[in-house]
Amino acid sequence: MSDILKFKEPTLDVPGKPNKKWRLAFATIYSARALYSILNQNKKKEKSRKLPLPISSTPSYVVLNVKPEAFSCIDQTTLTAIVKEKNLDLLLEFGGIEGVADALQTDIKNGITTGSVHDVALRQEAFGSNTIFQRPPAAKSLFHFVVEAFKDLTLLILLLCAALSLGFGIKEHGLNEGWYDGGSIFIAVFLVISVSAVINFQQNRQFEELSKGSNNIMVEVIRDGHRRQISIFEIVVGDVVYLIIGDQVPADGLFLDGHSLEVDESCLTRESDHVQINSNHNPFLFSGTKVVDGYAQMLVTSVGMNTTWGELMSTISRDINVQTPLQAWLNKLTSSIGKAGLAVAFLVVVALLVRYFTGNTENEKGNQEFIGRSTKVDDMVNSMVRIIATAVTIGLVAIPEGLPLAVAVILSYSVNRMMADQAMVRKLSACETMGSATTICTDKTGTLTLNQMKVTKFWLGKEHVDDSSSISKNLLNLIRQGIALNTSGSNYRATSGSTLLEFSGSPTEKAILSWAVQELDMKMETLKKNCTILHVEAFHSEKKRSGISIRSKADNTIHVHWKGAAEIILAMCSSYYDASGSTNDMDDDERTIFEQIIEGMAASSLRCLALAHKQIPDDQEEHDIGVGPPQKLIKEDSLSLIGLVGIKDPCRPGVRKAVEDCQSAGVSVRMITGDNVFTARAIATECRILRPDQDMNDESVVEGEVFRNYTQDERMEKVDKILVMARSSPFDKLLMVQCLKQKGHVVAVTGDGTNDAPSLKEADIGLCKGIQGTEVAKESSDIIILDDSFASIATVLGWGRCVYNNIQKIIQLKLTVIIAALVINVVAAVSDHEIPFTVLKLLWVNLIMDTLGALALAIEQPTKDLMEKPPVSLSTQPLITNIMWRNILVQALYQIVVILILQFSRDSILGVNKKVKDTMILNTSVLCQVFNQVNARKLEKKNVFEGMHKNKLFWGIIGITIILEAVVVESLRKFADTERLSLGQWIACMGIAVLSLPIGWVVKCIPVPDI
């Protein structure tokens, strides 16, 4: 069947640039051919062999086959039908896979030719670009967020208060002046809704952009005979794409070449069983599916909206506007405070009504207001209106309408800064959770190390080899053969005519290939031509080895090569080669020598791999090759050890400091690696995960198999002590995460492989490596570390704590304002029957705190102090701590005392009229909040000015706040009901407010429990 699929059908050569007079004739002929082809296909449909996927057959778009004459031999409709319907008969009609490649003008070995500037553009014009247009989420415009803001209970209460205030104000003071209070509330609500809607709209767009960025997968293709990495969006029909384990298939296409390829099609079919792909029976690959085993090359036949995945995604809309746990908690807090404020307002109404109807209130002339039946109805109504307006104002004081908005500002700002620090947040809640992390389970390769591997040692038998000239020719050929063929990597020329070779594949593969080419003079392409590959077992993270069986074309002999973790390959060997090429039996003593060699290289922080070989005797060929399940096709026992390869991967600069920073922050760093226990211990010691003087028997280092074989009780008892897990499988990693979570830890886990997906999902914070991470791992993660560095993980930890800390600062500032204003208004209303803060003035103070104040504290960046504190548990520790309550109550008490003294001073202290006094009260209150912002920068430290000189934006916001307050006082006198103040009065207000700073310093000397 494979030979039939590769049959080449003669094709019609159509000139790329025909004369203009023939274009009309060509279009007519082509249209007739296309119509005939469609009719003919419909007749053959019942006879065709088709395996349709369970996808809706009615697309949500129209495919237009408007294409240049260069691809006249095949159209998009046919290409889509071949793959989507798994139609082998239709594929045969076009001469098999090679016939389709010819029709697409693709060289299967060298890929498409991009020598012409217009070649890629021509293919995009003919077959479309590889972009998927998802149906946009319904009503996600700015208007949508305005409507959402109106659903907030707090704002609805404000609107009700605004309507009541407007009606009562006009009733009492007339239309000209009575609309001020009610109208100002409407304006304030409009501002809050506008700011909230704009911020949420921008945040939504920002995460959509981040989502687009996360979908920009780099794919390896071959073009002009050279392998190169391009964006998934740049793939065109006719491209030859390389696929390995963990890759997402980037487009629909056909299997060209490869081994042991299995894909997960559950995203399309909902079937959990993996599908084998081969050239004989099922060469069809679908966009969006995942490679779970093997490797291959595919020919792209459909891209973008013409793919099965594109059709499916066009019917799906995504909602990324998910509320974080902390935002939900703050919404509840806001609602609770609002309800408490309304309850207080109700009690004030009752108290004022009792005072009024018992004759204990006086009017402006000093006369008793209620005198029984003698009281006029208009006077009684006006009094009722005033009492209710007072209660409404008190209720407004307790509504922290800007608190959730302030949190949104913090999260949005932090996400942007984390992106600049090489961390892309996929789930907003991860920003908060990361600050509570108590342990980080990290990979070694690429995270703690540079992932720049180089072969530094080679042992042939029991001898260390520095020069390949000492190796016998036959053995040298076996080494070259095993390295060149038992690999998923390759080498290629950087440019045409260049002598410089470049290597592709995993870092380990590239290191071995580079060493073999440079030190052993390996000719990879020649070796491939001289052998026929029979079976391949691709490298798998659980087995930690890869194998291949080949037939030599020169003498028709069959050879098996294995490569993998040294101790695993060693266990499969019963003999070994020496430098002369002779094989020697391996007894227990010699096996111990090899184990000591492996341990010695591992102790030098080298990753140790082994190469092994076996020639299959002629009488065993039929029995061992081609019979049985795929995993048993390659001989696994009685191998001959060829050699041991030591690969050095240096630690990243700065990783030791990053680990120490995490440890000083109370976060345990655990290394989970596939390397053997000696390499793992050496690297962990170098990175300071382990101390240099750490006891070898203190249970801090364990192998994955040992941990796996513990009972559940033993695992729970020992898991806190384990800092390094060597020779671990993805299942061992998942098991450790589950145990740590059961012990009460908040766990962050790094991962990059497809098999890491369960651990990334199970962890509280999944951290995927952006460079080495597979698409399956990225989709399972919460945050993508763009540079793969552990130092970036430590930075993310700092930002997580900073988010939490900044939210606490804003809550402290906001509650101080609420408590002070609520107590002042209640006391003044009950005792003096007149409140110092009108609705408009309160909203002005709140607007300063909710926007400018929140912004000033939201831009605070992580400090060293945050990384010296233990993690905060969101589940067991309150967001508002005892330290915060201490700061809130003392500052609120100071403001209450000062404002009430000014309120009840009459003319005895200030010597000014009532309007100037009210203006000074407003001015003093606003300035107190300004200086209290400075106090809020440090919740515990006495020196609140530390690092403030570096934050120019903070200074700018403070300056803007003071300027706006001056405008309100000096210029908006009519609207704000204020009076101009003299220089002396401004200095007096400023002096009273500045005292907040020394009071803040003194109060932090008072010890209180942390929780």
Side-chain angles (χ1 to χ4, degrees):
M1 179 66 76
S2 61
D3 293 332
I4 295 175
L5 290 179
K6 294 181 179 179
F7 171 76
K8 292 179 68 174
E9 182 184 28
T11 57
L12 176 64
D13 291 330
V14 180
K17 296 183 179 179
N19 294 329
K20 292 182 179 180
K21 62 183 180 179
W22 290 105
R23 289 186 178 176
L24 180 60
F26 176 83
T28 304
I29 294 170
Y30 178 76
S31 300
R33 281 186 59 192
L35 181 60
Y36 174 77
S37 175
I38 292 171
L39 292 173
N40 193 38
Q41 287 175 29
N42 288 334
K43 290 178 182 179
K44 293 182 179 180
K45 248 181 183 180
E46 294 180 359
K47 298 180 181 179
S48 297
R49 179 182 176 184
K50 294 168 288 190
L51 300 170
L53 283 171
I55 300 294
S56 172
S57 59
T58 305
S60 57
Y61 55 89
V62 177
V63 177
L64 297 177
N65 285 305
V66 180
K67 56 183 180 44
E69 301 100 3
F71 304 104
S72 60
C73 299
I74 198 166
D75 57 24
Q76 183 61 66
T77 303
T78 305
L79 289 170
T80 302
I82 289 173
V83 177
K84 180 182 175 183
E85 299 177 6
K86 295 189 174 181
N87 196 329
L88 286 172
D89 291 341
L90 186 57
L91 178 59
L92 289 173
E93 288 184 19
F94 281 87
I97 298 171
E98 288 193 3
V100 173
D102 286 344
L104 294 175
Q105 299 182 9
T106 297
D107 185 323
I108 290 178
K109 291 186 177 181
N110 298 317
I112 64 173
T113 303
T114 58
S116 170
V117 179
H118 303 291
D119 185 75
V120 173
L122 197 66
R123 292 176 183 272
Q124 289 177 337
E125 180 186 350
F127 304 107
S129 61
N130 199 31
T131 52
I132 294 176
F133 302 100
Q134 282 185 269
R135 187 173 64 188
K140 287 297 181 181
S141 62
L142 180 61
F143 179 73
H144 165 79
F145 292 102
V146 171
V147 173
E148 286 296 312
F150 270 110
K151 295 179 182 179
D152 186 358
L153 178 62
T154 301
L155 294 179
L156 292 177
I157 294 173
L158 280 173
L159 290 173
L160 176 63
C161 293
L164 292 174
S165 181
L166 185 64
F168 294 155
I170 293 174
K171 172 68 176 64
E172 187 171 3
H173 301 291
L175 181 61
N176 289 336
E177 296 184 0
W179 70 271
Y180 286 159
D181 284 350
S184 64
I185 298 175
F186 276 116
I187 293 172
V189 169
F190 171 77
L191 288 175
V192 169
I193 288 175
S194 299
V195 173
S196 176
V198 168
I199 287 178
N200 288 332
F201 176 67
Q202 289 180 340
Q203 192 178 59
N204 188 74
R205 290 185 62 184
Q206 175 190 22
F207 276 93
E208 286 210 351
E209 290 299 320
L210 289 177
S211 179
K212 290 178 183 177
S214 67
N215 292 332
N216 186 18
I217 305 166
M218 299 307 293
V219 179
E220 191 167 6
V221 301
I222 183 167
R223 289 181 177 179
D224 301 316
H226 304 295
R227 290 175 72 157
R228 63 182 70 174
Q229 293 234 333
I230 63 172
S231 166
I232 189 174
F233 303 126
E234 297 175 7
I235 288 177
V236 294
V237 169
D239 262 323
V240 175
V241 177
Y242 288 86
L243 300 173
I244 59 174
I245 294 176
D247 281 351
Q248 173 180 309
V249 179
D252 285 1
L254 297 169
F255 176 92
L256 285 175
D257 189 20
H259 297 280
S260 307
L261 186 67
E262 292 186 7
V263 298
D264 178 5
E265 293 184 352
S266 60
C267 60
L268 298 177
T269 65
R270 303 304 179 205
E271 296 291 337
S272 59
D273 293 338
H274 297 158
V275 179
Q276 290 190 0
I277 306 296
N278 52 56
S279 59
N280 296 333
H281 304 99
N282 184 24
F284 308 106
L285 288 157
F286 297 94
S287 174
T289 58
K290 308 294 191 303
V291 178
V292 294
D293 200 5
Y295 56 90
Q297 299 173 31
M298 67 171 281
L299 173 68
V300 175
T301 58
S302 298
V303 294
M305 298 303 296
N306 296 320
T307 64
T308 306
W309 182 250
E311 180 181 345
L312 178 64
M313 294 304 290
S314 68
T315 65
I316 298 173
S317 62
R318 294 177 299 112
D319 187 4
I320 59 174
N321 189 32
V322 180
Q323 194 176 63
T324 72
L326 194 53
Q327 284 177 315
W329 188 91
L330 287 174
N331 283 333
K332 291 181 181 179
L333 176 64
T334 300
S335 178
S336 300
I337 294 174
K339 291 175 183 177
L342 292 177
V344 171
F346 175 76
L347 293 177
V348 169
V349 168
V350 172
L352 291 177
L353 288 175
V354 169
R355 286 194 62 207
Y356 175 77
F357 286 112
T358 54
N360 291 320
T361 59
E362 297 177 350
N363 58 24
E364 296 175 355
K365 296 179 182 180
N367 300 323
Q368 182 178 329
E369 285 189 304
F370 183 76
I371 50 178
R373 296 181 179 180
S374 301
T375 307
K376 295 180 180 180
V377 175
D378 284 349
D379 292 339
M380 188 180 297
V381 170
N382 288 336
S383 297
M384 293 300 102
V385 168
R386 189 169 60 252
I387 289 172
I388 294 174
T390 300
V392 168
T393 303
I394 291 172
L396 287 175
V397 170
I399 299 177
E401 68 281 347
L403 199 54
L405 176 62
V407 175
V409 172
I410 291 176
L411 290 174
S412 180
Y413 174 80
S414 300
V415 166
N416 279 328
R417 292 309 304 264
M418 288 169 73
M419 189 71 175
D421 287 338
Q422 302 298 313
M424 187 179 78
V425 178
R426 296 185 72 250
K427 296 180 182 177
L428 201 58
S429 58
C431 293
E432 305 163 2
T433 312
M434 192 64 193
S436 304
T438 59
T439 186
I440 299 174
C441 298
T442 177
D443 295 335
K444 175 186 76 71
T445 305
T447 306
L448 298 174
T449 62
L450 286 170
N451 209 15
Q452 296 174 359
M453 299 189 184
K454 183 179 180 180
V455 175
T456 58
K457 286 188 178 181
F458 178 58
W459 288 76
L460 184 58
K462 295 182 287 185
E463 300 176 10
H464 181 258
V465 177
D466 291 319
D467 187 0
S468 62
S469 61
S470 62
I471 306 173
S472 69
K473 184 177 180 181
N474 290 337
L475 182 57
L476 188 59
N477 286 334
L478 278 181
I479 297 172
R480 292 168 179 163
Q481 191 181 75
I483 293 174
L485 301 178
N486 186 16
T487 180
S488 59
S490 68
N491 62 352
Y492 56 93
R493 302 290 174 186
T495 56
S496 298
S498 172
T499 58
L500 181 64
L501 278 176
E502 291 190 3
F503 301 91
S504 65
S506 69
T508 303
E509 295 282 11
K510 288 193 285 188
I512 294 177
L513 289 175
S514 174
W515 169 73
V517 169
Q518 296 171 9
E519 301 295 330
L520 306 182
D521 194 27
M522 182 183 74
K523 307 296 183 185
M524 196 168 182
E525 292 302 320
T526 303
L527 289 165
K528 286 184 177 180
K529 291 176 182 178
N530 294 337
C531 298
T532 301
I533 296 176
L534 301 177
H535 299 290
V536 172
E537 183 175 315
F539 178 82
H540 201 278
S541 58
E542 290 186 359
K543 295 182 178 180
K544 303 188 186 304
R545 65 185 187 183
S546 64
I548 189 170
S549 64
I550 60 172
R551 185 186 296 275
S552 173
K553 293 180 180 179
D555 55 12
N556 208 35
T557 55
I558 293 179
H559 300 265
V560 168
H561 289 276
W562 284 95
K563 176 182 68 180
E567 63 270 28
I568 293 175
I569 300 298
L570 181 64
M572 298 162 63
C573 296
S574 60
S575 59
Y576 66 94
Y577 286 96
D578 58 25
S580 66
S582 302
T583 57
N584 305 275
D585 291 336
M586 186 185 300
D587 57 25
D588 291 340
D589 292 337
E590 287 171 325
R591 188 178 297 275
T592 302
I593 293 174
F594 284 115
E595 290 173 350
Q596 291 173 349
I597 293 172
I598 294 170
E599 291 177 11
M601 285 197 286
S604 301
S605 302
L606 298 182
R607 169 175 285 186
C608 192
L609 302 181
L611 306 173
H613 165 262
K614 181 180 181 66
Q615 182 173 337
I616 306 298
D618 294 340
D619 58 349
Q620 293 185 25
E621 289 185 19
E622 184 178 352
H623 175 72
D624 288 332
I625 304 299
V627 179
Q631 65 269 25
K632 298 297 183 183
L633 291 174
I634 305 175
K635 193 74 173 177
E636 297 181 0
D637 55 0
S638 300
L639 305 178
S640 296
L641 180 68
I642 293 178
L644 301 171
V645 180
I647 302 175
K648 180 69 175 177
D649 186 13
C651 287
R652 284 182 178 271
V655 70
R656 180 184 296 184
K657 181 181 183 303
V659 169
E660 290 173 344
D661 286 345
C662 290
Q663 291 169 340
S664 66
V667 179
S668 300
V669 180
R670 293 174 165 84
M671 186 177 81
I672 302 176
T673 178
D675 286 334
N676 67 43
V677 67
F678 301 101
T679 303
R681 181 182 288 276
I683 292 293
T685 303
E686 191 174 347
C687 296
R688 289 299 184 266
I689 294 174
L690 296 175
R691 299 188 310 276
D693 58 348
Q694 192 109 8
D695 186 359
M696 294 285 287
N697 299 314
D698 65 352
E699 298 183 329
S700 60
V701 181
V702 68
E703 288 190 327
E705 184 179 3
V706 175
F707 183 75
R708 190 187 322 140
N709 293 331
Y710 284 150
T711 64
Q712 178 64 16
D713 291 340
E714 286 177 327
R715 280 196 292 266
M716 294 299 290
E717 179 186 349
K718 298 175 184 293
V719 70
D720 280 330
K721 302 176 185 177
I722 297 173
L723 296 177
V724 176
M725 184 186 287
R727 281 290 176 245
S728 64
S729 68
F731 176 75
D732 300 327
K733 191 175 190 178
L734 176 62
L735 203 57
M736 171 166 271
V737 172
Q738 291 171 338
C739 290
L740 288 169
K741 288 184 69 177
Q742 290 172 20
K743 293 282 285 186
H745 288 279
V746 178
V747 186
V749 171
T750 68
D752 57 3
T754 301
N755 290 332
D756 286 329
S759 300
L760 291 169
K761 287 184 177 180
E762 179 70 23
D764 297 286
I765 312 104
L767 304 167
C768 180
K769 293 188 276 189
I771 299 173
Q772 293 296 320
T774 64
E775 296 315 309
V776 177
K778 289 178 182 178
E779 288 178 6
S780 303
S781 67
D782 303 307
I783 298 174
I784 297 176
I785 305 301
L786 299 177
D787 61 355
D788 288 6
S789 173
F790 186 84
S792 296
I793 297 175
T795 303
V796 170
L797 178 66
W799 271 111
R801 295 190 173 191
C802 184
V803 166
Y804 188 85
N805 190 243
N806 287 348
I807 290 173
Q808 286 184 312
K809 294 174 184 178
I810 291 177
I811 291 175
Q812 175 178 300
L813 182 66
K814 186 68 180 174
L815 287 183
T816 302
V817 176
I818 290 173
I819 292 173
L822 192 62
V823 172
I824 290 167
N825 274 2
V826 169
V827 172
V830 173
S831 60
D832 197 37
H833 198 52
E834 184 177 315
I835 55 176
F837 294 117
T838 62
V839 175
L840 180 60
K841 293 175 181 177
L842 279 173
L843 287 173
W844 166 236
V845 174
N846 280 355
L847 195 62
I848 287 177
M849 294 303 102
D850 293 340
T851 53
L852 296 177
L855 183 60
L857 296 175
I859 59 176
E860 291 286 328
Q861 298 190 24
T863 60
K864 187 178 179 182
D865 300 338
L866 291 176
M867 296 297 284
E868 294 175 351
K869 297 178 181 178
V872 177
S873 174
L874 292 175
S875 58
T876 59
Q877 294 178 245
L879 184 62
I880 307 174
T881 63
N882 289 337
I883 292 172
M884 292 171 63
W885 279 121
R886 177 197 64 190
N887 300 339
I888 290 168
L889 294 176
V890 171
Q891 289 291 343
L893 180 62
Y894 171 68
Q895 293 180 26
I896 290 168
V897 170
V898 169
I899 300 302
L900 288 180
I901 288 175
L902 294 177
Q903 173 69 13
F904 294 110
S905 64
R906 304 298 179 189
D907 298 334
S908 58
I909 296 179
L910 300 176
V912 295
N913 60 40
K914 181 179 178 301
K915 202 165 186 178
V916 172
K917 181 189 73 174
D918 290 343
T919 303
M920 290 186 68
I921 289 174
L922 171 66
N923 204 31
T924 301
S925 179
V926 170
L927 293 176
C928 278
Q929 311 319 321
V930 170
F931 289 104
N932 205 25
Q933 284 180 34
V934 180
N935 273 326
R937 290 187 69 247
K938 306 290 181 183
L939 298 178
E940 299 179 51
K941 294 191 71 173
K942 298 175 184 177
N943 183 10
V944 296
F945 297 103
E946 182 181 348
M948 190 173 170
H949 63 284
K950 299 178 182 178
N951 197 339
K952 296 180 181 178
L953 189 55
F954 186 91
W955 284 103
I957 292 173
I958 295 293
I960 290 172
T961 304
I962 294 174
I963 291 171
L964 289 176
E965 172 63 12
V967 170
V968 168
V969 170
E970 301 295 329
S971 301
L972 300 179
R973 301 191 305 278
K974 183 72 174 176
F975 182 76
D977 193 27
T978 58
E979 190 68 36
R980 282 186 174 177
L981 300 180
S982 65
L983 179 61
Q985 290 164 345
W986 267 99
I987 293 174
C989 294
M990 190 71 73
I992 293 172
V994 167
L995 287 176
S996 298
L997 295 176
I999 290 173
W1001 187 91
V1002 171
V1003 74
K1004 288 173 184 175
C1005 297
I1006 302 173
V1008 293
D1010 291 339
I1011 301 176

